[in-house]
Amino acid sequence: MRKNLYAKAAGILLLLSLFLLLGGCSSALMDPKGQIGEEQRTLILTAFGIMQIVVLPVIGMTLFFAWRYRRSNHKAAYTPDWAHNTWVEVVVWLIPCVIVLFLAGLTWYTSNSLDPHKSIAEEGEETLEIQAVAMDWKWLFIYPEQGVATVNEVAFPTDTPVRFRVSSASVMNSFFIPELGSQIYAMAGMDNDVHLIADEEGTYPGRSTNYSGSGFSGMTFDAHATSEEGFDEWVAEVKASSKSISFDDGYNELLKPSRNHPVEYFSEVSPTLYDDILNVYHSGEPVEVLPDETGYKHASSDHQEQNGDMAMNAEAAE
């Protein structure tokens, strides 16, 4: 008897301790700091609440039936031949169908209203453009208007719509600042984009959410949302750096794989750097990005000659 009491007491203490441990957890998605993040949180909570119309009654009835028709309850009616009730059929089919239709309409509406490619700037409002390039294993951020670039750090003013143009100089990655909203995939040769805005000043962690190799865990960055004055000061700090970068000078060195790469500033950046990175994959020639080599390497001449021979043979066959 005492053992049972001790077991029950231990179970209750364990349950209480779980609540205490969970109390220290937080969710960036449930604590957004921007317009897009807030709309996505509303969507998540709305969908979750609607689904509880089915989930809660099912859980409740499961517990009720288990208690009501327990073996020791001789008052419960025993009807082994019961098989059909029209009202029960109507309820169990109609309510889920209505919920599915509602969620389908909600999904269609929010898929358009929260389209990451859709500008969130009001008419006449300026948008800050930042070009983000995923590398092994770091992020390069290019500011074409300010003429600077950074590695693993990005900044922008609050209440200013930001258009991130996103691509990759290596394998596929995913650009994500959880507290601000949508994530978007970064792929080599592809010019993707996502529009975000921060409503509050602060430092928000960003990262790649698509596994890309052994250094993936360190592929993180800080996103600083500042005042207009704070952003100008940050740009001035970046411009104080002695480093510069262009596709022909500095880029290939940065392209080398590195883990837990430190924050790096470039006071000068080629205005065509982002387009040059994209065009590497648009040349029509095979391209390899080798972990142990610096920069891009085109396919060997033997391979190209082989492809040329195959093309000539195909023409001859025609």
Side-chain angles (χ1 to χ4, degrees):
M1 186 69 178
R2 288 184 177 180
K3 290 183 178 179
N4 291 336
L5 291 175
Y6 290 148
K8 290 180 179 179
I12 293 173
L13 290 175
L14 178 61
L15 184 62
L16 293 175
S17 65
L18 289 176
F19 281 107
L20 291 175
L21 291 173
L22 290 173
C25 299
S26 62
S27 172
L29 295 178
M30 293 296 105
D31 186 26
K33 304 299 181 183
Q35 172 188 334
I36 302 300
E38 290 177 355
E39 292 182 16
Q40 290 179 339
R41 178 184 63 180
T42 301
L43 173 61
I44 292 172
L45 293 177
T46 301
F48 179 79
I50 293 298
M51 288 185 286
Q52 299 316 299
I53 296 175
V54 170
V55 174
L56 292 180
V58 168
I59 294 175
M61 286 188 292
T62 300
L63 297 175
F64 172 76
F65 290 155
W67 175 81
R68 173 68 176 173
Y69 297 102
R70 65 192 185 279
R71 184 176 182 180
S72 61
N73 185 14
H74 301 290
K75 296 181 179 180
Y78 178 62
T79 55
D81 298 326
W82 183 88
H84 176 77
N85 184 287
T86 301
W87 287 109
V88 171
E89 294 291 338
V90 170
V91 170
V92 299
W93 282 104
L94 180 61
I95 294 178
C97 287
V98 171
I99 292 174
V100 168
L101 289 174
F102 179 82
L103 291 176
L106 181 65
T107 301
W108 179 86
Y109 174 78
T110 53
S111 294
N112 288 276
S113 64
L114 292 175
D115 181 0
H117 308 298
K118 183 179 178 181
S119 175
I120 56 177
E122 298 179 359
E123 187 175 354
E125 187 177 15
E126 294 185 359
T127 298
L128 173 65
E129 180 177 311
I130 302 175
Q131 299 160 348
V133 181
M135 296 179 168
D136 292 335
W137 288 277
K138 49 193 169 284
W139 288 94
L140 170 65
F141 296 101
I142 304 169
Y143 289 76
E145 298 172 11
Q146 289 72 26
V148 299
T150 62
V151 175
N152 284 347
E153 184 178 276
V154 65
F156 39 82
T158 57
D159 300 321
T160 298
V162 182
R163 181 196 179 200
F164 286 95
R165 294 178 64 186
V166 183
S167 188
S168 174
S170 180
V171 298
M172 186 170 74
N173 282 276
S174 182
F175 176 83
F176 192 28
I177 307 175
E179 288 175 286
L180 298 187
S182 302
Q183 67 171 330
I184 200 75
Y185 283 107
M187 290 173 274
M190 181 176 180
D191 185 14
N192 218 340
D193 65 344
V194 60
H195 293 260
L196 299 173
I197 189 171
D199 295 335
E200 300 179 17
E201 294 185 20
T203 299
Y204 308 120
R207 63 177 302 113
S208 170
T209 54
N210 191 81
Y211 182 74
S212 58
S214 58
F216 164 75
S217 60
M219 199 170 172
T220 60
F221 61 89
D222 286 333
H224 301 289
T226 68
S227 62
E228 289 284 353
E229 295 77 11
F231 178 69
D232 292 338
E233 292 175 0
W234 180 84
V235 171
E237 182 182 353
V238 176
K239 287 187 175 181
S241 171
S242 60
K243 298 180 181 179
S244 62
I245 186 171
S246 67
F247 189 76
D248 298 320
D249 182 18
Y251 175 71
N252 281 340
E253 184 66 24
L254 184 63
L255 191 60
K256 291 180 178 179
S258 60
R259 300 183 183 182
N260 300 310
H261 196 92
V263 173
E264 199 170 354
Y265 292 159
F266 299 95
S267 58
E268 294 183 12
V269 59
S270 168
T272 62
L273 178 57
Y274 184 78
D275 291 329
D276 290 337
I277 297 172
L278 291 176
N279 290 334
V280 167
Y281 297 94
H282 297 168
S283 63
E285 297 180 358
V287 175
E288 297 178 73
V289 180
L290 303 180
D292 298 328
E293 298 289 340
T294 300
Y296 300 103
K297 181 180 179 182
H298 291 276
S300 65
S301 58
D302 293 340
H303 182 70
Q304 292 180 10
E305 290 175 3
Q306 182 180 359
N307 286 344
D309 293 340
M310 291 176 64
M312 291 177 64
N313 291 336
E315 291 177 1
E318 290 178 357

